[in-house]
Amino acid sequence: MKPDLTRLLFACACAGMPAAGTAQNVQVRPVDLVQAVPLLTESGRAGYSRFLRIGIRPRAFALNMNGDWAWNAGESAVTDALARCEAHGLPCQLYAVDEEVVMPGFELGAPLRALGGTLVQGDPQ
């Protein structure tokens, strides 16, 4: 097996996605990877799961370095989510807006980020 293919299969397994050529052909989006959201407690992960089920767009999920979080949906989702999160006392950053992870470094989900970017950049090792 080629080293690049080995890294790809490992990345798919880490991300909870079936590897290419398996019987299942399910596409998992980074925004759907609840365990990839950094700093959250179990309560925060439950809140993020609720955020994912909301059908209203736009929607936004924000968090801070203490793991405090907030989400909102509707016309001013981004500003409202940030304001509610920052009410905990620290600056917050957007993690997801609608169907996209917008936090830098987490666009592909934390499991792929843990590979050091070699899979994305294609650097041989």
Side-chain angles (χ1 to χ4, degrees):
M1 187 178 289
K2 291 179 149 182
D4 288 336
L5 183 55
T6 302
R7 284 198 299 270
L8 176 62
L9 293 173
F10 175 75
C12 290
C14 288
M17 298 183 293
T22 60
Q24 290 181 317
N25 191 12
V26 177
Q27 179 150 355
V28 176
R29 302 169 306 168
V31 72
D32 294 327
L33 299 173
V34 176
Q35 295 302 321
V37 183
L39 306 171
L40 294 182
T41 63
E42 287 305 311
S43 170
R45 294 195 192 290
Y48 187 73
S49 292
R50 284 191 301 278
F51 162 78
L52 291 175
R53 290 191 302 268
I54 292 299
I56 300 169
R57 301 292 185 274
R59 65 181 183 177
F61 188 92
L63 58 100
N64 67 25
M65 292 302 293
N66 278 350
D68 300 318
W69 55 274
W71 63 266
N72 211 320
E75 187 176 319
S76 56
V78 169
T79 55
D80 290 348
L82 285 168
R84 287 180 60 209
C85 181
E86 290 177 353
H88 293 282
L90 289 176
C92 291
Q93 184 172 2
L94 291 173
Y95 177 78
V97 176
D98 294 333
E99 309 305 319
E100 300 295 324
V101 174
V102 297
M103 182 176 275
F106 286 85
E107 299 90 345
L108 296 176
L112 295 180
R113 184 173 178 262
L115 293 176
T118 55
L119 179 67
V120 174
Q121 297 170 5
D123 295 337
Q125 287 189 350

